[in-house]
Amino acid sequence: MLHLEFMTDLGARVTVDVESADKLLDVQRHYGRLGWTSGEIPTGGYQFPLDNETDFDWTLIGARRWTNPEGEEMVIHRGHAYRRRELEAVDSRKMKLPAAVKFSRGAKSTDPEHVREKSDGEFEYVTLAIFRGGKRQERYAIPGNRAQGAPQSATRPAPAPRPSPRPAAAQVEEETPF
Amino acid sequence: MLHLEFMTDLGARVTVDVESADKLLDVQRHYGRLGWTSGEIPTGGYQFPLDNETDFDWTLIGARRWTNPEGEEMVIHRGHAYRRRELEAVDSRKMKLPAAVKFSRGAKSTDPEHVREKSDGEFEYVTLAIFRGGKRQERYAIPGNRAQGAPQSATRPAPAPRPSPRPAAAQVEEETPF
Amino acid sequence: MLHLEFMTDLGARVTVDVESADKLLDVQRHYGRLGWTSGEIPTGGYQFPLDNETDFDWTLIGARRWTNPEGEEMVIHRGHAYRRRELEAVDSRKMKLPAAVKFSRGAKSTDPEHVREKSDGEFEYVTLAIFRGGKRQERYAIPGNRAQGAPQSATRPAPAPRPSPRPAAAQVEEETPF
Amino acid sequence: MLHLEFMTDLGARVTVDVESADKLLDVQRHYGRLGWTSGEIPTGGYQFPLDNETDFDWTLIGARRWTNPEGEEMVIHRGHAYRRRELEAVDSRKMKLPAAVKFSRGAKSTDPEHVREKSDGEFEYVTLAIFRGGKRQERYAIPGNRAQGAPQSATRPAPAPRPSPRPAAAQVEEETPF
Amino acid sequence: MLHLEFMTDLGARVTVDVESADKLLDVQRHYGRLGWTSGEIPTGGYQFPLDNETDFDWTLIGARRWTNPEGEEMVIHRGHAYRRRELEAVDSRKMKLPAAVKFSRGAKSTDPEHVREKSDGEFEYVTLAIFRGGKRQERYAIPGNRAQGAPQSATRPAPAPRPSPRPAAAQVEEETPF
């Protein structure tokens, strides 16, 4: 028997019994659909393989995709809207980085210090997840390959030059659909 | 079987067994009536749809409505009194924000840094909950539509201009009924 | 079934099963007598009604009354000695505060920032509990009205002018009986 | 049924079921012998009566006595070596302190702020435990009065003048036997 | 019955029931192979005996060995790559330190203050584990002495002079295989 700790959509602390380890992701999907989360966002954000990005099952971490009124692809997680950004590969003498997709948002005054990442100038942002490198893991995909209205990679805008954390406009952050 | 963690009105840490997930809100209401809370106030405050405000069941988060001697609508949560404020919609070039109702209080010297929000000048405040946008969720309402003496929206004062976090007068914060 | 989390007098983390919610305070009293505590002191201290002060059952929060060699009324909680102080009512244009009884101690170098309260000048103190206003709650009283050697309100010294957090002399803080 | 939370010698979080409250110290001794600890060191260190010092059962807090190559009495707790120091009684107009035995070590760069205590000059130290005043508690003693090779009080060096937290030499702190 | 708390590879909080204390390390190995960890890295890093280094079972702490494209020996733990460094013994008048093997990485902007260790100049690093002194503990070894493709000590590069925390190049930290 396993016991899985959640924070519900209302912020309550709930533990759910799980029969066996192989049922764990199912239970995370089930409650994640309600916006329940388990644990904190790792510092620097969740790390997933790039090849998992197009059909990643966001319910695994209590999040969901959302297209904002301006048509931008975003992800909602615990009431915060994170914007999808494509980062080009970097191959200079100083840095060597494979291409990546990052979901991040501008930092708010109430964000604790350790989740804030510095960008150019004064701007600070918070990363929910980064998809980069690695080997696709089937267990992270939406079961049955049903894309469930998720934006397709075919519709990806041209990648922005790195570093490209454009501040999410205040109105978007605030208009988060509940 | 689920297990719901509470902090009692006396500050003790108690876990309560809950038969099934659909009983969860009932149990939160039951103990919330005693002032028990589960989890912490999310940074920036709880977020609820605006249309849930008039008959929101504050027992869900261990709080209750209170009208102070001056006739102001407030909410008591863990011994702190939060004042109800109406925020007008903003529609400028820089910001676009729908109307909202916010429950907040002036920050105290013992409030940790990450819950303090800056306002005009030196004043800092703490938000319990904000009702804005979204779609009404029936499960957040007082069961049976019994308003239980809660102030009606008809009695709402005229909305204050944004930003309007007037510091809650010291005597009100302190006179919190137990 | 409920589960009550304690920190024992030795600082160990122990959870105790409790049959039903109405047995909760009994169990807190039982282990509180051994100096076990559940949860942390709320920021700003526990808040209780003033009318509960004379026969308050300190075992509910793992504390006990103690009269120091100088005859001063104190309360011992987790190895710290808190001095009893009476605060007069304040009724000025700027502040309106009912009379209160406060149990506080001088801050130590190892006290975390968020429990320290500023006083006049450089002095900082930590509050265990404040009794003010509210309505007496019978369940907080020593069962059977046995005062158990607790100091009577008749012996109260004249209230000190507010704010009156006299620093607890170093020797008293240190001489804490084990 | 009680449930006792430990951090194992490997840093893992483990809860152990305990039949009844009177078995609690036995279980703490059993796992403490393996270096398992429950809870954190209280700020300012554990406080015990002075008369418990000679035969104190360090397994109660997951520690053990150790004599370093230089013949100094120390205590090992979670990989840190704490040096034994005798503090003379102080009886001045400003301070009145009974004699004490303290186990402390020099602070390391990775020690969090709230465990560091200031000494003369720049030196900072961390206290594991202080034995002072109080009344001997039999339950803290090594069962059966077997001293188990612990240094006897007869071999105590002359007490150092107060305050005497000599910085533990770097090599001793580092040479901690595993 | 024991209960072992994990953070899964997805960051979820899960407790696993364990039949008896002697099965504990087996269960840690089993889930550690999936990247699950229990508890936090101790401040200053895990401490193990030097003689355990060559066949240390990294699954015990949810980590695994990895040889990077440049042929360097590293360890992956919760998405971070730690570089293996050999530290020569120091025997000066000021310090006396036995030889050690350390696994550390450069600090990132999101690392909390208390895990950062200062080095020469501005550079800060984070230690996962240090192998030094002590007596080999068989229970920490890979069961059955199967080295499982782990780099052999025969291939060790010449030890670097102390202190030698070379900053892990940005590209290596970032190219962490998932």
Side-chain angles (χ1 to χ4, degrees), chain D residues 9 13 15 171 174 178, chain E residues 3 5 38 47 132 139:
Chain D
D9 55 318
R13 300 277 173 187
T15 302
Q171 69 271 30
E174 298 275 353
F178 192 71
Chain E
H3 314 273
E5 290 175 40
S38 183
Q47 294 184 35
R132 179 166 51 198
R139 64 196 178 113

Side-chain angles (χ1 to χ4, degrees), chain A residues 1-5 21 24-25 28 38-39 43-44 46-49 94 96-97 114 117 132 137 139-140, chain E residues 3 5 8-17 31 36 79-80 109-112 170-171 174-176 178:
Chain A
M1 180 76 88
L2 290 81
H3 313 272
L4 178 53
E5 290 174 40
L24 197 66
L25 291 190
Q28 284 188 261
S38 182
T43 54
Y46 291 98
Q47 295 184 37
F48 299 113
K94 219 177 126 198
K96 201 180 278 291
L97 280 167
H114 70 275
E117 294 172 70
R132 180 166 49 198
Q137 303 219 20
R139 66 197 177 113
Y140 292 160
Chain E
H3 314 273
E5 290 175 40
T8 73
D9 55 316
L10 264 177
R13 300 277 174 188
V14 173
T15 302
V16 174
D17 295 342
Y31 289 102
W36 294 23
H80 294 290
S109 68
T110 48
D111 286 317
Q171 69 271 32
E174 298 275 354
E175 274 181 55
T176 300
F178 192 71

Side-chain angles (χ1 to χ4, degrees), chain D residues 3 5 7-17 30-31 34 36 78-80 108-112 170-172 174-178, chain E residues 1-5 21 24-25 28 38-40 43-44 46-49 60-61 94-98 114 116-117 132 134 137 139-140:
Chain D
H3 313 272
E5 291 174 39
M7 182 192 282
T8 72
D9 55 318
L10 264 177
R13 300 277 173 187
V14 173
T15 302
V16 175
D17 295 342
H30 177 78
Y31 289 102
L34 309 177
W36 294 24
R78 296 225 71 95
H80 295 289
K108 297 175 183 173
S109 68
T110 47
D111 286 318
Q171 69 271 30
V172 173
E174 298 275 353
E175 275 181 54
T176 300
F178 192 71
Chain E
M1 179 77 87
L2 290 81
H3 314 273
L4 178 53
E5 290 175 40
L24 197 66
L25 291 190
Q28 285 188 260
S38 183
E40 303 298 317
T43 55
Y46 290 98
Q47 294 184 35
F48 300 112
L60 284 168
I61 60 167
K94 219 176 126 197
M95 282 223 288
K96 201 181 279 291
L97 281 166
H114 70 274
R116 295 155 176 275
E117 293 172 70
R132 179 166 51 198
Q137 303 220 19
R139 64 196 178 113
Y140 292 160

Side-chain angles (χ1 to χ4, degrees), chain C residues 9-142:
Chain C
D9 55 316
L10 264 177
R13 299 277 174 187
V14 174
T15 302
V16 175
D17 295 342
V18 180
E19 218 177 299
S20 57
D22 60 297
K23 296 272 186 300
L24 198 66
L25 291 189
D26 290 348
V27 177
Q28 284 188 262
R29 281 182 165 97
H30 176 78
Y31 289 102
R33 211 163 284 135
L34 309 176
W36 294 23
T37 52
S38 182
E40 303 298 317
I41 301 173
T43 54
Y46 290 98
Q47 294 184 37
F48 300 113
L50 181 60
D51 288 346
N52 272 103
E53 202 262 326
T54 44
D55 64 348
F56 182 72
D57 191 347
W58 290 96
T59 63
L60 284 168
I61 60 167
R64 61 191 172 80
R65 284 204 178 245
W66 176 60
T67 304
N68 77 1
E70 286 76 35
E72 291 174 294
E73 301 173 40
M74 306 188 87
V75 163
I76 307 290
H77 180 266
R78 297 224 71 96
H80 295 289
Y82 295 83
R83 177 173 276 118
R84 184 180 181 280
R85 308 170 205 277
E86 302 200 359
L87 306 179
E88 287 180 328
V90 174
D91 191 352
S92 69
R93 244 184 72 184
K94 218 177 127 198
M95 283 222 288
K96 202 179 279 289
L97 280 167
V101 175
K102 196 171 182 167
F103 290 83
S104 55
R105 62 174 172 83
K108 297 176 183 172
S109 68
T110 48
D111 285 319
E113 198 57 42
H114 70 274
V115 306
R116 295 155 175 274
E117 294 172 71
K118 301 271 182 289
S119 178
D120 292 339
E122 294 294 293
F123 184 65
E124 291 184 326
Y125 63 100
V126 176
T127 301
L128 172 64
I130 186 156
F131 295 82
R132 180 165 50 199
K135 208 186 114 204
R136 179 179 166 85
Q137 303 219 19
E138 220 46 61
R139 66 197 177 112
Y140 293 160
I142 297 171

Side-chain angles (χ1 to χ4, degrees), chain D residues 2-158:
Chain D
L2 289 81
H3 313 272
L4 178 52
E5 291 174 39
F6 280 112
M7 182 192 282
T8 72
D9 55 318
L10 264 177
R13 300 277 173 187
V14 173
T15 302
V16 175
D17 295 342
V18 179
E19 220 177 299
S20 57
D22 60 296
K23 296 272 186 301
L24 198 66
L25 291 189
D26 290 347
V27 176
Q28 285 188 260
R29 281 181 163 99
H30 177 78
Y31 289 102
R33 210 163 286 135
L34 309 177
W36 294 24
T37 53
S38 183
E40 303 297 318
I41 301 173
T43 54
Y46 291 98
Q47 294 184 36
F48 299 112
L50 182 60
D51 288 345
N52 272 105
E53 202 262 327
T54 44
D55 63 348
F56 181 72
D57 191 347
W58 290 97
T59 64
L60 284 168
I61 60 166
R64 61 192 171 78
R65 283 203 179 246
W66 177 61
T67 305
N68 77 1
E70 286 76 36
E72 291 174 294
E73 300 173 42
M74 305 188 88
V75 162
I76 308 290
H77 181 264
R78 296 225 71 95
H80 295 289
Y82 295 83
R83 177 173 277 118
R84 184 181 182 281
R85 308 169 206 277
E86 303 200 358
L87 307 178
E88 287 180 328
V90 174
D91 192 352
S92 69
R93 243 185 71 186
K94 219 177 125 198
M95 282 223 288
K96 202 181 279 290
L97 281 166
V101 174
K102 196 171 184 169
F103 290 83
S104 56
R105 62 174 173 85
K108 297 175 183 173
S109 68
T110 47
D111 286 318
E113 198 57 42
H114 70 273
V115 306
R116 295 155 175 274
E117 293 172 70
K118 301 270 183 287
S119 178
D120 292 338
E122 294 293 293
F123 184 65
E124 291 184 326
Y125 62 99
V126 176
T127 301
L128 171 65
I130 186 155
F131 295 81
R132 180 165 50 198
K135 208 186 114 204
R136 178 179 167 87
Q137 304 219 19
E138 220 46 61
R139 64 196 178 114
Y140 293 160
I142 297 172
N145 267 341
R146 294 160 302 169
Q148 295 182 333
Q152 301 301 317
S153 60
T155 68
R156 283 189 189 173

